[in-house]
Structures are given as C-alpha cells and as structure tokens.
Amino acid sequence: MNLGSSTAGNIQKLKILIAEDEDASRHLMEASLTNWGHDAMVASDGEQAQAILQKGGIEVCILDWEMPRIDGVNLCRWIQQTLLTPRPYIILLTSRKEPGQIQVGLEAGANDYIVKPFNRSQLRERLSEIPTKIADAQTKETSQQVDRITLKGTVQ
C-alpha cells in the first residue's frame, strides 16, 4: 500500500473516502481532511461509496453506520469479502455507542470506531496513527508469509 506522501508537519497525506449521508457532517469532514492535507472523496450513501472503492486507490474509509442503500456495517463486510487489495483502513462513524454495537462494527471489519458527534482533534489524531498501523500490519503479514514458506519448505 502506498502510505500516502508526506505533507508539512510530518503528516502522511492519505486518500480518504468519506461515506456519510448527513450533508453538514460530510462537508465538515471533507473540509477538515482537506485542510489537514489529505485527499478527500465523498459519497452520500453506501452504493456511491462502493462504486468509488471499486475504482481502487482508497487508503482510508470513514463510514457512517446508518446510510441509505448500503449501511456502513454491510459496506465493511463487503470490503472484507471482496478482493480489494490492499484493503483500506476502516473507521466506522456512528452515534451508536453501546459495547455490543461497537463489537458488531469491529467484527464486520472496521479497524476503528468513532462515536458521533465526532471531535475533530480526535479524528485528526486517529488519522495520524494510521500509516504506522498499516505498516505494522503489512510487516506482520509479510512475516506470516515468510513463516508459511519456510514451514512449507521444511515439511517437504
């Protein structure tokens, strides 16, 4: 995965999809992400988000749980079931805050969870951590692949 490019202040520039049906929230997130140096793409429902994702290149998805056509949780499941490679890092954004609901979102494939109304500084902090999390996951995946190859070679 291309972890974006560096921008001023050591912030990694990321290509981020915002899927949010509430106009005000979507515009606020888009303006914030753009001001922070990220490339923001927007979708007002799950079907639009799915179409954008199929084109590739999205590094991070910020998905509203409750959207028309395809909700955020089902979009997470779709991302996990498709052959999108590399898979984008997924932040589920919702007003649902009960532990059982958070677990549903994470089990569907979300990497992170932010409760609405979102705090802009919290969102910015989470986004700044994503390149490291992605790099760590890639290192772990590469290590597991090497282990499988090594194990396969010793078994034969």
mmCIF file of all heavy atoms in Angstrom, residues 38-69:
data_model
loop_
_atom_site.group_PDB
_atom_site.id
_atom_site.type_symbol
_atom_site.label_atom_id
_atom_site.label_comp_id
_atom_site.label_asym_id
_atom_site.label_seq_id
_atom_site.Cartn_x
_atom_site.Cartn_y
_atom_site.Cartn_z
ATOM 1 N N HIS A 38 -5.045 16.002 3.364
ATOM 2 C CA HIS A 38 -5.452 14.725 2.788
ATOM 3 C C HIS A 38 -6.267 14.939 1.512
ATOM 4 O O HIS A 38 -6.838 16.001 1.305
ATOM 5 C CB HIS A 38 -6.289 13.919 3.794
ATOM 6 C CG HIS A 38 -5.563 13.599 5.055
ATOM 7 N ND1 HIS A 38 -4.477 12.748 5.097
ATOM 8 C CD2 HIS A 38 -5.751 14.029 6.333
ATOM 9 C CE1 HIS A 38 -4.043 12.661 6.341
ATOM 10 N NE2 HIS A 38 -4.792 13.429 7.105
ATOM 11 N N ASP A 39 -6.323 13.913 0.677
ATOM 12 C CA ASP A 39 -7.216 13.894 -0.477
ATOM 13 C C ASP A 39 -8.519 13.262 -0.019
ATOM 14 O O ASP A 39 -8.529 12.092 0.388
ATOM 15 C CB ASP A 39 -6.635 13.052 -1.624
ATOM 16 C CG ASP A 39 -5.453 13.716 -2.293
ATOM 17 O OD1 ASP A 39 -5.376 14.968 -2.274
ATOM 18 O OD2 ASP A 39 -4.603 12.992 -2.833
ATOM 19 N N ALA A 40 -9.606 14.023 -0.071
ATOM 20 C CA ALA A 40 -10.895 13.517 0.390
ATOM 21 C C ALA A 40 -11.835 13.297 -0.788
ATOM 22 O O ALA A 40 -11.978 14.151 -1.645
ATOM 23 C CB ALA A 40 -11.518 14.500 1.383
ATOM 24 N N MET A 41 -12.455 12.128 -0.793
ATOM 25 C CA MET A 41 -13.516 11.814 -1.738
ATOM 26 C C MET A 41 -14.764 11.597 -0.903
ATOM 27 O O MET A 41 -14.678 11.109 0.227
ATOM 28 C CB MET A 41 -13.172 10.574 -2.547
ATOM 29 C CG MET A 41 -11.874 10.710 -3.327
ATOM 30 S SD MET A 41 -11.605 9.312 -4.417
ATOM 31 C CE MET A 41 -12.807 9.665 -5.680
ATOM 32 N N VAL A 42 -15.938 11.935 -1.464
ATOM 33 C CA VAL A 42 -17.157 11.832 -0.678
ATOM 34 C C VAL A 42 -18.227 11.010 -1.384
ATOM 35 O O VAL A 42 -18.288 10.963 -2.616
ATOM 36 C CB VAL A 42 -17.727 13.231 -0.330
ATOM 37 C CG1 VAL A 42 -16.779 13.990 0.571
ATOM 38 C CG2 VAL A 42 -18.036 14.026 -1.574
ATOM 39 N N ALA A 43 -19.036 10.372 -0.550
ATOM 40 C CA ALA A 43 -20.201 9.622 -1.018
ATOM 41 C C ALA A 43 -21.324 9.878 -0.017
ATOM 42 O O ALA A 43 -21.079 9.952 1.186
ATOM 43 C CB ALA A 43 -19.890 8.126 -1.092
ATOM 44 N N SER A 44 -22.539 10.012 -0.522
ATOM 45 C CA SER A 44 -23.662 10.283 0.365
ATOM 46 C C SER A 44 -24.457 9.027 0.712
ATOM 47 O O SER A 44 -25.415 9.097 1.465
ATOM 48 C CB SER A 44 -24.591 11.337 -0.250
ATOM 49 O OG SER A 44 -25.087 10.888 -1.487
ATOM 50 N N ASP A 45 -24.062 7.889 0.157
ATOM 51 C CA ASP A 45 -24.695 6.627 0.526
ATOM 52 C C ASP A 45 -23.730 5.478 0.259
ATOM 53 O O ASP A 45 -22.674 5.660 -0.345
ATOM 54 C CB ASP A 45 -26.027 6.425 -0.204
ATOM 55 C CG ASP A 45 -25.899 6.288 -1.705
ATOM 56 O OD1 ASP A 45 -25.084 5.459 -2.178
ATOM 57 O OD2 ASP A 45 -26.627 6.992 -2.424
ATOM 58 N N GLY A 46 -24.114 4.306 0.712
ATOM 59 C CA GLY A 46 -23.239 3.144 0.598
ATOM 60 C C GLY A 46 -22.979 2.697 -0.825
ATOM 61 O O GLY A 46 -21.881 2.220 -1.134
ATOM 62 N N GLU A 47 -23.959 2.845 -1.711
ATOM 63 C CA GLU A 47 -23.742 2.443 -3.114
ATOM 64 C C GLU A 47 -22.705 3.332 -3.790
ATOM 65 O O GLU A 47 -21.848 2.840 -4.528
ATOM 66 C CB GLU A 47 -25.054 2.467 -3.897
ATOM 67 C CG GLU A 47 -25.924 1.263 -3.645
ATOM 68 C CD GLU A 47 -27.187 1.261 -4.494
ATOM 69 O OE1 GLU A 47 -27.400 2.196 -5.303
ATOM 70 O OE2 GLU A 47 -27.973 0.317 -4.343
ATOM 71 N N GLN A 48 -22.763 4.633 -3.541
ATOM 72 C CA GLN A 48 -21.752 5.540 -4.099
ATOM 73 C C GLN A 48 -20.376 5.192 -3.555
ATOM 74 O O GLN A 48 -19.389 5.185 -4.295
ATOM 75 C CB GLN A 48 -22.081 7.003 -3.762
ATOM 76 C CG GLN A 48 -23.245 7.578 -4.511
ATOM 77 C CD GLN A 48 -23.531 9.021 -4.092
ATOM 78 O OE1 GLN A 48 -22.832 9.590 -3.247
ATOM 79 N NE2 GLN A 48 -24.561 9.609 -4.686
ATOM 80 N N ALA A 49 -20.312 4.901 -2.267
ATOM 81 C CA ALA A 49 -19.035 4.533 -1.647
ATOM 82 C C ALA A 49 -18.479 3.258 -2.278
ATOM 83 O O ALA A 49 -17.289 3.174 -2.591
ATOM 84 C CB ALA A 49 -19.218 4.349 -0.142
ATOM 85 N N GLN A 50 -19.342 2.285 -2.494
ATOM 86 C CA GLN A 50 -18.922 1.024 -3.101
ATOM 87 C C GLN A 50 -18.359 1.267 -4.502
ATOM 88 O O GLN A 50 -17.316 0.697 -4.863
ATOM 89 C CB GLN A 50 -20.114 0.070 -3.152
ATOM 90 C CG GLN A 50 -19.761 -1.353 -3.448
ATOM 91 C CD GLN A 50 -20.986 -2.250 -3.359
ATOM 92 O OE1 GLN A 50 -22.027 -1.947 -3.935
ATOM 93 N NE2 GLN A 50 -20.856 -3.340 -2.626
ATOM 94 N N ALA A 51 -19.001 2.117 -5.286
ATOM 95 C CA ALA A 51 -18.527 2.420 -6.637
ATOM 96 C C ALA A 51 -17.151 3.078 -6.601
ATOM 97 O O ALA A 51 -16.268 2.761 -7.406
ATOM 98 C CB ALA A 51 -19.533 3.313 -7.364
ATOM 99 N N ILE A 52 -16.943 3.988 -5.659
ATOM 100 C CA ILE A 52 -15.641 4.645 -5.519
ATOM 101 C C ILE A 52 -14.579 3.631 -5.102
ATOM 102 O O ILE A 52 -13.470 3.623 -5.642
ATOM 103 C CB ILE A 52 -15.730 5.817 -4.507
ATOM 104 C CG1 ILE A 52 -16.597 6.941 -5.088
ATOM 105 C CG2 ILE A 52 -14.330 6.332 -4.148
ATOM 106 C CD1 ILE A 52 -16.979 8.015 -4.082
ATOM 107 N N LEU A 53 -14.918 2.765 -4.172
ATOM 108 C CA LEU A 53 -13.969 1.755 -3.702
ATOM 109 C C LEU A 53 -13.566 0.795 -4.819
ATOM 110 O O LEU A 53 -12.418 0.362 -4.882
ATOM 111 C CB LEU A 53 -14.558 0.980 -2.526
ATOM 112 C CG LEU A 53 -14.577 1.729 -1.204
ATOM 113 C CD1 LEU A 53 -15.525 1.070 -0.222
ATOM 114 C CD2 LEU A 53 -13.176 1.834 -0.632
ATOM 115 N N GLN A 54 -14.488 0.458 -5.687
ATOM 116 C CA GLN A 54 -14.184 -0.470 -6.778
ATOM 117 C C GLN A 54 -13.156 0.101 -7.749
ATOM 118 O O GLN A 54 -12.457 -0.650 -8.410
ATOM 119 C CB GLN A 54 -15.466 -0.859 -7.518
ATOM 120 C CG GLN A 54 -16.323 -1.803 -6.698
ATOM 121 C CD GLN A 54 -17.665 -2.104 -7.342
ATOM 122 O OE1 GLN A 54 -18.260 -1.278 -8.006
ATOM 123 N NE2 GLN A 54 -18.144 -3.320 -7.125
ATOM 124 N N LYS A 55 -13.034 1.410 -7.796
ATOM 125 C CA LYS A 55 -12.035 2.038 -8.668
ATOM 126 C C LYS A 55 -10.624 1.911 -8.085
ATOM 127 O O LYS A 55 -9.644 2.052 -8.798
ATOM 128 C CB LYS A 55 -12.373 3.511 -8.885
ATOM 129 C CG LYS A 55 -13.657 3.712 -9.667
ATOM 130 C CD LYS A 55 -13.997 5.178 -9.795
ATOM 131 C CE LYS A 55 -15.338 5.363 -10.487
ATOM 132 N NZ LYS A 55 -15.763 6.770 -10.497
ATOM 133 N N GLY A 56 -10.540 1.647 -6.788
ATOM 134 C CA GLY A 56 -9.241 1.447 -6.143
ATOM 135 C C GLY A 56 -8.590 2.738 -5.683
ATOM 136 O O GLY A 56 -9.051 3.838 -5.965
ATOM 137 N N GLY A 57 -7.497 2.580 -4.952
ATOM 138 C CA GLY A 57 -6.685 3.712 -4.523
ATOM 139 C C GLY A 57 -7.067 4.335 -3.198
ATOM 140 O O GLY A 57 -6.363 5.208 -2.698
ATOM 141 N N ILE A 58 -8.164 3.917 -2.601
ATOM 142 C CA ILE A 58 -8.578 4.487 -1.314
ATOM 143 C C ILE A 58 -7.768 3.819 -0.202
ATOM 144 O O ILE A 58 -7.706 2.604 -0.111
ATOM 145 C CB ILE A 58 -10.097 4.282 -1.071
ATOM 146 C CG1 ILE A 58 -10.929 4.970 -2.162
ATOM 147 C CG2 ILE A 58 -10.487 4.761 0.327
ATOM 148 C CD1 ILE A 58 -10.801 6.478 -2.191
ATOM 149 N N GLU A 59 -7.162 4.632 0.637
ATOM 150 C CA GLU A 59 -6.347 4.117 1.737
ATOM 151 C C GLU A 59 -7.110 4.042 3.054
ATOM 152 O O GLU A 59 -6.834 3.183 3.891
ATOM 153 C CB GLU A 59 -5.112 4.995 1.921
ATOM 154 C CG GLU A 59 -4.207 4.957 0.703
ATOM 155 C CD GLU A 59 -3.126 6.007 0.756
ATOM 156 O OE1 GLU A 59 -3.444 7.213 0.758
ATOM 157 O OE2 GLU A 59 -1.945 5.605 0.801
ATOM 158 N N VAL A 60 -8.069 4.961 3.231
ATOM 159 C CA VAL A 60 -8.843 5.025 4.467
ATOM 160 C C VAL A 60 -10.302 5.298 4.118
ATOM 161 O O VAL A 60 -10.586 6.121 3.249
ATOM 162 C CB VAL A 60 -8.333 6.157 5.402
ATOM 163 C CG1 VAL A 60 -9.182 6.251 6.668
ATOM 164 C CG2 VAL A 60 -6.867 5.965 5.751
ATOM 165 N N CYS A 61 -11.205 4.601 4.798
ATOM 166 C CA CYS A 61 -12.641 4.850 4.667
ATOM 167 C C CYS A 61 -13.174 5.326 6.004
ATOM 168 O O CYS A 61 -12.899 4.699 7.033
ATOM 169 C CB CYS A 61 -13.399 3.581 4.301
ATOM 170 S SG CYS A 61 -13.004 2.886 2.725
ATOM 171 N N ILE A 62 -13.930 6.403 5.983
ATOM 172 C CA ILE A 62 -14.681 6.833 7.154
ATOM 173 C C ILE A 62 -16.137 6.605 6.792
ATOM 174 O O ILE A 62 -16.688 7.286 5.928
ATOM 175 C CB ILE A 62 -14.411 8.317 7.495
ATOM 176 C CG1 ILE A 62 -12.919 8.533 7.759
ATOM 177 C CG2 ILE A 62 -15.255 8.737 8.695
ATOM 178 C CD1 ILE A 62 -12.527 9.988 7.960
ATOM 179 N N LEU A 63 -16.743 5.595 7.409
ATOM 180 C CA LEU A 63 -18.081 5.152 7.033
ATOM 181 C C LEU A 63 -19.091 5.431 8.134
ATOM 182 O O LEU A 63 -18.894 5.004 9.277
ATOM 183 C CB LEU A 63 -18.079 3.644 6.755
ATOM 184 C CG LEU A 63 -17.054 3.095 5.774
ATOM 185 C CD1 LEU A 63 -17.184 1.582 5.682
ATOM 186 C CD2 LEU A 63 -17.231 3.754 4.410
ATOM 187 N N ASP A 64 -20.165 6.113 7.775
ATOM 188 C CA ASP A 64 -21.286 6.282 8.683
ATOM 189 C C ASP A 64 -22.000 4.940 8.794
ATOM 190 O O ASP A 64 -22.138 4.219 7.803
ATOM 191 C CB ASP A 64 -22.239 7.343 8.124
ATOM 192 C CG ASP A 64 -23.407 7.623 9.047
ATOM 193 O OD1 ASP A 64 -23.309 7.366 10.261
ATOM 194 O OD2 ASP A 64 -24.430 8.125 8.544
ATOM 195 N N TRP A 65 -22.429 4.575 9.975
ATOM 196 C CA TRP A 65 -23.122 3.302 10.159
ATOM 197 C C TRP A 65 -24.457 3.328 9.424
ATOM 198 O O TRP A 65 -24.802 2.409 8.699
ATOM 199 C CB TRP A 65 -23.357 3.053 11.647
ATOM 200 C CG TRP A 65 -23.967 1.724 11.976
ATOM 201 C CD1 TRP A 65 -25.087 1.165 11.405
ATOM 202 C CD2 TRP A 65 -23.512 0.792 12.940
ATOM 203 N NE1 TRP A 65 -25.357 -0.046 11.967
ATOM 204 C CE2 TRP A 65 -24.396 -0.305 12.921
ATOM 205 C CE3 TRP A 65 -22.449 0.779 13.830
ATOM 206 C CZ2 TRP A 65 -24.249 -1.401 13.764
ATOM 207 C CZ3 TRP A 65 -22.308 -0.308 14.663
ATOM 208 C CH2 TRP A 65 -23.186 -1.380 14.628
ATOM 209 N N GLU A 66 -25.227 4.395 9.635
ATOM 210 C CA GLU A 66 -26.581 4.464 9.094
ATOM 211 C C GLU A 66 -26.610 5.320 7.838
ATOM 212 O O GLU A 66 -26.616 6.545 7.911
ATOM 213 C CB GLU A 66 -27.527 5.010 10.151
ATOM 214 C CG GLU A 66 -27.611 4.095 11.365
ATOM 215 C CD GLU A 66 -28.483 4.646 12.466
ATOM 216 O OE1 GLU A 66 -29.429 5.396 12.163
ATOM 217 O OE2 GLU A 66 -28.215 4.328 13.633
ATOM 218 N N MET A 67 -26.617 4.645 6.687
ATOM 219 C CA MET A 67 -26.696 5.316 5.388
ATOM 220 C C MET A 67 -27.745 4.605 4.541
ATOM 221 O O MET A 67 -28.011 3.425 4.747
ATOM 222 C CB MET A 67 -25.364 5.218 4.632
ATOM 223 C CG MET A 67 -24.228 5.984 5.205
ATOM 224 S SD MET A 67 -22.784 5.903 4.124
ATOM 225 C CE MET A 67 -22.289 4.193 4.305
ATOM 226 N N PRO A 68 -28.294 5.322 3.561
ATOM 227 C CA PRO A 68 -29.233 4.669 2.639
ATOM 228 C C PRO A 68 -28.526 3.647 1.744
ATOM 229 O O PRO A 68 -27.325 3.708 1.538
ATOM 230 C CB PRO A 68 -29.776 5.813 1.792
ATOM 231 C CG PRO A 68 -29.234 7.077 2.341
ATOM 232 C CD PRO A 68 -28.164 6.736 3.323
ATOM 233 N N ARG A 69 -29.289 2.739 1.233
ATOM 234 C CA ARG A 69 -28.918 1.708 0.259
ATOM 235 C C ARG A 69 -28.010 0.639 0.848
ATOM 236 O O ARG A 69 -28.385 -0.506 0.923
ATOM 237 C CB ARG A 69 -28.341 2.319 -0.998
ATOM 238 C CG ARG A 69 -29.361 3.188 -1.728
ATOM 239 C CD ARG A 69 -28.857 3.665 -3.066
ATOM 240 N NE ARG A 69 -29.833 4.540 -3.671
ATOM 241 C CZ ARG A 69 -29.856 5.846 -3.512
ATOM 242 N NH1 ARG A 69 -28.929 6.453 -2.794
ATOM 243 N NH2 ARG A 69 -30.793 6.566 -4.093
#
